Structures are given as structure tokens and as C-alpha cells.
Amino acid sequence: MEIRRAPFRLKLINPFGIARSTRTHSDIVLTRIGEGWGESSPSKFYNEDPDTVMETIGKIAGMDLPDPDCVEDVADIIDARIQANGSAKAAVDIALHDRLASRLGVPLYKLFGRNPDKKMVTSFTIGIDTVDEMMRKVDEAKNCAILKIKLGKDLEQDLTVMREIRKAVGNKTVRVDANGGWSLEQARTALPVMADLGVEYVEQPLAKGSHEQLRELKKSSPLPIFVDEDSMVNADLPKLAGAVDGINIKLMKSGGLVEARRMVATARAFGFQVMLGCMIESNVAITAAAHLAPHCDYLDLDGNLLISNDPFTGSTCEPDGTIHLPSTPGLGVAVRPEYKQDLASLL
Ligand code: MG
């Protein structure tokens, strides 16, 4: 299969901090299969970087693969031959979906069978920083209807900043994500405070792999508990029964839309709520996820709102976070004229 690919550096508007790191840019790999666009946004935490992505996509390009229209067959064969490497697989899967829906002349969401007219609102993420700087970012995001606050680096600061944020934003919807930064004891201190402050739910309170502790925490938790780092692929979900209320699906963890759709189905069978998230991504991967948004309960698709140099048009986002899908065939993404030279090798 011919897969054209090129690295690209996304620049963040503000330095972006989470419990385990802070960054100023994000290196992605863009792909093209026929007319289809794809994207990988690799994460060191999941043992990927642009080099491993380029290498893995090279391996996939060298495989004897079935009809590329049969996206599920292709995904199954790639998964059988290559372990992990979710974001590299996503770059192929997204491009194949764009290619297929473009060839059929329909927007991708129609292949997935749900109407995108229901209101879809993404949260806007506030990264970890000093309390003053986080409050400045909260103020800057005053038009956003839903905020997601990154916590988990310092419990005292977490509690302080959340009290300040609640004072500043009135009754706005606020979610928190500890990125696995709390111990069980710290989570037991934090969650009742978060509940008193009217936080909607908490994402990944404990370190990845702490399933038994999550079960303990959930027994007395005053808030719904979601996991992100613990819900990579479909096979992870049965192990979470009784330990969580919801899961965060990301294309860069699942390996793309085929596996993400399987995860939605499995989550429903276990009674989990479904959140759809993202990494720092251009509008290629954000729009791909947005086509799946009508199937999910909560959206966190702000990865492209945090960058200053998104080369693509596609899904659009109103100031309050309301997402609109393109109605053109495929993903509906296109290169902005000012980036055509940078991406010439893919055009
Ligand atoms: Mg998360």
C-alpha cells in the first residue's frame, strides 16, 4: 500500500502542563493514502515518537494488505502483526476512512450511522501551571461552556486552584483530569472536595494499572470516575468492570476509528459512559474523532484549539466549544493555502 508520510511540528499557544510533563510543541506525522488524509500524534508515555511512527508506517506500507476499502480487515491484519504503536496505526486507519468515505461521496459520519445534529460541545483544557497562570488561562477561556482542569502534580495546589476556579467561573461545567498523579489516599482527600465544588467527573485519578485501588476508590467516591491511560484498546475494558463509571477513548491510543467504534460498543455493554478525547493534534485527527462524537457522551476534542499553526480546515468549533462537522465527503479536511508549501510532499 502506498502511504505517503511527513513529520510536522505543531506549536502550542501556551506551554501545556500535565501531571507528568510540560511541553511547548508537539511533533506529529501526517499521512496520505490515495486522497485520504491521516495523522499520528505520538506520545512518549505510550512509547511512541515521530521516528517510531515513521518506521511503523513503513512496515505497514510493506505488508501484503487486503482491499483498502475493507477498513476492518486491514485493521485486524495490522493488529495481528504489530503490537501497540496506536498512533502510527491511527495515521493509517484515519487516512483509509477518509479515502473510503470520499470515494463513496458521503461524509464519514454517515457511514457510522448517527446524525451529527445533536449539540456536541467540547471541553477546553487548562494545563498545570502556577495558580495565577492557571487562573489567567481560565479567564482567557471564559467563553468556553466546559472546562477540563489538569491536576495531579501537587495535591495542595490542586485543591487551592479548584477553589479559586469555582469562585471565578460561577456554575460553569468543570471536569478534572489527574493523569494518574494521585495516590489512593490523595484521591480520597481530593474527590470529596471536588464533589463539593460541583466538579462533574474525575479522569484517571490513580496511576495506570491500579485497577484494585480504583475499585476501592469507587466504592466511596462521591464523583463519577473515568479512566484514560487505562482504556487504550477494546480488550482493556472488561478488566475495568466495577472499577470505573466511564472511559476516555482516543484514536491515538486505540489505533484509529475501527477499534474506537468497537470500544464504544463494549463500553455500552458494560454500562460505561463514553468520553472522546484527543492528544495535541491538527484538525485531521480532531475531525476524524469528531465524526465519532455523535456516538459519545462527553467530548474533549480541543487539541487543535491549543495550537497556533493548524495546517487544516475541517471541523469547526464555536467560542463556547460547540463542534460542527463538515458535510463534504470523507473527513472533510483540507490544507489551508498558507501551509501548501510545507506539505507539498503530501499534495
Ligand atoms: Mg486524560
Side-chain angles (χ1 to χ4, degrees):
M1 185 184 294
E2 194 200 344
I3 309 174
R4 285 178 288 156
R5 50 202 184 274
F8 187 84
R9 174 161 288 187
L10 300 175
K11 295 176 193 150
L12 285 153
I13 296 168
N14 286 310
F16 185 70
I18 67 168
R20 52 181 174 264
S21 62
T22 297
R23 55 213 284 205
T24 56
H25 62 267
S26 184
D27 290 315
I28 61 166
V29 174
L30 293 164
T31 53
R32 205 95 204 263
I33 302 176
E35 289 305 296
W37 282 101
E39 176 179 351
S40 162
S41 179
S43 164
K44 273 278 180 208
F45 183 71
Y46 298 122
N47 301 312
E48 290 191 271
D49 60 34
D51 293 334
T52 66
V53 170
M54 293 293 274
E55 188 188 323
T56 303
I57 294 172
K59 277 186 204 160
I60 294 170
M63 286 179 182
D64 186 19
L65 291 169
D67 179 352
D69 285 351
C70 299
V71 292
E72 299 232 2
D73 286 337
V74 174
D76 285 345
I77 288 176
I78 293 171
D79 276 339
R81 296 189 197 163
I82 296 176
Q83 299 297 304
N85 289 287
S87 84
K89 291 174 181 172
V92 175
D93 168 282
I94 293 169
L96 288 177
H97 280 84
D98 186 23
R99 176 187 169 279
L100 174 61
S102 298
R103 280 155 53 82
L104 295 173
V106 294
L108 182 58
Y109 66 78
K110 287 210 172 181
L111 292 188
F112 296 163
R114 282 199 194 276
N115 188 322
D117 291 344
K118 86 168 184 185
K119 194 165 169 68
M120 304 190 293
V121 184
T122 178
S123 53
F124 184 81
T125 304
I126 306 295
I128 296 179
D129 210 312
T130 61
V131 173
D132 286 349
E133 186 59 12
M134 288 176 77
M135 295 310 295
R136 187 188 67 77
K137 290 178 190 169
V138 165
D139 185 56
E140 234 173 50
K142 58 177 170 289
N143 291 326
C144 303
I146 307 170
L147 294 180
K148 170 168 140 171
I149 314 298
K150 290 288 194 179
L151 303 176
K153 203 170 172 185
D154 173 343
L155 181 60
E156 279 310 306
Q157 173 169 323
D158 292 345
L159 303 182
T160 303
V161 79
M162 287 306 297
R163 290 188 179 111
E164 292 297 313
I165 288 172
R166 181 48 84 202
K167 265 190 246 164
V169 303
N171 62 359
K172 183 180 292 223
T173 300
V174 178
R175 303 165 184 164
V176 302
D177 183 359
N179 284 106
W182 291 330
S183 65
L184 178 58
E185 195 185 340
Q186 287 175 320
R188 281 181 165 148
T189 302
L191 265 51
V193 178
M194 301 299 145
D196 282 348
L197 292 170
V199 167
E200 190 176 28
Y201 61 76
V202 58
E203 193 182 326
Q204 198 71 41
L206 307 180
K208 179 174 163 70
S210 313
H211 291 37
E212 283 316 308
Q213 292 196 333
L214 273 176
R215 259 181 205 99
E216 284 303 305
L217 184 64
K218 182 169 151 53
K219 277 182 200 159
S220 60
S221 176
L223 278 186
I225 296 173
F226 281 60
V227 284
D228 173 0
E229 286 83 343
D230 273 317
S231 59
M232 305 274 294
V233 294
N234 204 15
D236 294 333
L237 304 193
K239 292 176 270 185
L240 293 166
V244 303
D245 299 287
I247 60 158
N248 186 352
I249 297 175
K250 293 178 180 170
L251 301 184
M252 297 302 146
K253 298 184 298 176
S254 71
L257 290 154
V258 165
E259 185 75 358
R261 295 178 68 212
R262 292 171 182 172
M263 291 175 79
V264 172
T266 303
R268 297 305 181 203
F270 279 95
F272 299 150
Q273 291 197 286
V274 177
M275 176 183 172
L276 187 60
C278 62
M279 306 295 186
I280 305 298
E281 297 167 359
S282 85
N283 212 2
V284 171
I286 293 294
T287 302
H291 281 277
L292 198 60
H295 301 249
C296 303
D297 306 306
Y298 303 98
L299 304 182
D300 182 29
L301 297 179
D302 64 343
N304 64 327
L305 307 179
L306 303 173
I307 58 178
S308 60
N309 63 336
D310 188 344
F312 291 90
T313 58
S315 67
T316 56
C317 189
E318 291 180 39
D320 73 347
T322 303
I323 292 178
H324 299 282
L325 278 167
S327 54
T328 45
L331 291 179
V333 298
V335 179
R336 294 177 195 273
E338 62 268 36
Y339 292 98
K340 285 199 167 161
Q341 205 169 353
D342 294 341
L343 300 179
S345 67
L346 298 174
L347 294 172

